[in-house]
Amino acid sequence: MKTRITEMFAIRYPIVQGGMQWVGRAELAAAVSNAGGLGIVTALTQPTPEDLLKEIARCREMTDAPFGVNLTILPSLRAISHAEFAQAIIDSGVKIVETAGRNPEPYMAAFKEAGIKVIHKCTSVRHSLKAQAIGCDAVSVDGFECAGHPGEDDIPGLVLLPRAAEELTIPFIASGGFADGRGLVAALALGADGINMGTRFMATLEAPIHRSIKERIVAASELDTALLMRQLRNTARYFRNEVTDQALAVERDQGAELTIEHLGPFVSGQRGKIVYESGNADAGVWSAGMVVGLIHDIPTCEELISRIVSEAREIVASRLAPALACA
Ligand code: NAD
């Protein structure tokens, strides 16, 4: 395929893997890149910048294709030096970075000097324009359907993506709610240059999480997510489970008095990590998008990406072209 995103990153298909905490490890990123998409290693999944360097080296052993590194800049329960992780990315020689969360401006000059292309993932048109203004090469525009942090505006992709297309001049990747060829065609029609998929890649053979969690995703419907931390203006969408129910009860009880100290024991990423290792879906909170309702199997990344591309071509040829043709 050919879009501004395939050209910019020298990839075969405009399909980017989301930078998922605990999931974006070398084996998944390499599998996505080997299948022609853009794999992403998640920096903060590694305990230290030195471990990130080792993980990037491990990914290089598994693929010769381009891959990127995600650096998420959001409030955190553990002390994180984002500057040190950014430096490790530069030292690794990786040339594609996906930043997410807060404004990546403090790191832009160093990334640009190192010849790194920066995709900033954000959840609003105004943040996308800011990313464009500070020199990001592309943005990933994340609709309200998404897993993890959807922002506070609650604008779904069907409106957010064409709004982004109206305003941006740099290429953008549509994120939130994508799982199949229908989504790819829709994203291109709405003005995006590709799609970003997180939850869909969790349910692949190569995703480094317990098989039971993948099966739980397959069994789920679009109603199986929950939003927490709204009152803290750090809203996050998780797979709905016993822990999100408990946390929602705490949020209701505390009302306007709610602080992160009340929620920390429930939303801690350390508990979420146990979910992926043990296969116990109720051991902590774990991110998932509404798109769980569209995930029905556990293919390899190669099978998934080639199916999405052939589905997209089939939709255009068998559905769109005939429907739009003049009589
Ligand atoms: P963590 O255990 O440090 O924190 C758990 C959750 O609490 C995170 O959502 C975090 O943003 C939130 N939080 C922490 N301190 C806060 C505060 N003072 N005020 C408000 N909210 C607070 O996080 P983790 O699971 O180890 O993840 C590491 C990083 O990756 C975090 O910054 C997290 O937000 C981010 N993350 C991002 C996504 C995404 O969708 N972009 C998904 C998962 C995690």
Side-chain angles (χ1 to χ4, degrees):
M1 288 181 63
K2 188 175 171 182
T3 72
R4 292 187 293 173
I5 286 295
T6 60
E7 301 277 286
M8 181 175 283
F9 299 116
I11 51 179
R12 277 183 285 146
Y13 305 115
I15 299 176
V16 180
Q17 171 227 318
M20 298 165 279
Q21 180 69 347
W22 311 128
V23 187
R25 298 179 189 269
E27 30 292 270
L28 179 60
V32 172
S33 289
N34 284 334
L38 184 67
I40 302 277
V41 170
T42 305
L44 302 185
T45 293
Q46 301 304 319
T48 66
E50 295 71 38
D51 292 306
L52 175 60
L53 280 167
K54 287 184 202 149
E55 190 70 1
I56 292 169
R58 219 161 65 77
C59 194
R60 281 214 180 92
E61 280 166 20
M62 291 185 252
T63 184
D64 294 326
F67 64 91
V69 176
N70 165 284
L71 181 64
T72 293
I73 312 161
L74 280 171
S76 183
L77 294 175
R78 67 178 164 121
I80 292 172
S81 169
H82 293 96
E84 287 176 18
F85 276 99
Q87 189 56 49
I89 295 169
I90 291 167
D91 293 345
S92 76
V94 160
K95 295 299 176 200
I96 304 169
V97 167
E98 182 202 59
T99 55
R102 287 188 185 140
N103 186 345
E105 197 163 14
Y107 313 107
M108 285 301 289
F111 283 152
K112 291 278 113 186
E113 199 176 313
I116 291 174
K117 289 207 160 52
V118 179
I119 311 167
H120 183 59
K121 180 146 96 190
C122 46
T123 56
S124 71
V125 174
R126 67 187 185 285
H127 293 146
S128 305
L129 286 170
K130 178 73 186 175
Q132 176 173 280
I134 65 168
C136 290
D137 299 279
V139 280
S140 200
V141 179
D142 216 5
F144 183 55
E145 304 89 335
C146 72
H149 294 275
E152 309 304 323
D153 293 345
D154 303 355
I155 307 296
L158 203 51
V159 171
L160 186 63
L161 298 169
R163 278 289 299 124
E166 285 175 6
E167 304 267 352
L168 289 167
T169 54
I170 56 174
F172 75 96
I173 301 157
S175 180
F178 293 97
D180 53 32
R182 297 170 295 186
L184 176 57
V185 172
L188 296 176
L190 294 170
D193 298 281
I195 55 173
N196 178 84
M197 304 195 304
T199 309
R200 174 63 269 197
F201 278 121
M202 286 170 72
T204 58
L205 274 181
E206 296 93 340
I209 61 173
H210 199 286
R211 174 96 191 174
S212 302
I213 301 302
K214 301 176 189 181
E215 288 167 357
R216 191 74 190 265
I217 290 172
V218 169
S221 88
E222 62 278 16
L223 302 176
D224 285 321
T225 71
L227 296 173
L228 296 181
M229 294 192 284
R230 183 111 270 195
Q231 289 108 301
L232 303 181
R233 293 193 62 76
N234 189 29
T235 302
R237 185 185 299 284
Y238 297 108
F239 193 90
R240 189 160 57 83
N241 66 7
E242 288 171 12
V243 187
T244 59
D245 286 350
Q246 291 159 5
L248 281 169
V250 170
E251 290 193 350
R252 273 193 303 273
D253 291 347
Q254 295 299 326
E257 305 300 315
L258 184 80
T259 67
I260 187 64
E261 280 68 39
H262 296 116
L263 284 182
F266 300 96
V267 300
S268 159
Q270 296 307 318
R271 275 185 78 180
K273 188 177 178 208
I274 296 169
V275 169
Y276 297 133
E277 289 167 355
S278 67
N280 175 2
D282 291 302
V285 297
W286 49 286
S287 295
M290 290 176 168
V291 76
V292 287
L294 296 176
I295 298 172
H296 309 305
D297 62 358
I298 306 172
T300 65
C301 291
E302 168 74 37
E303 285 163 352
L304 178 63
I305 289 180
S306 47
R307 180 170 76 201
I308 290 173
V309 173
S310 53
E311 257 176 28
R313 290 186 170 133
E314 176 66 18
I315 289 166
V316 173
S318 311
R319 212 175 142 70
L320 300 191
L324 294 170
C326 296

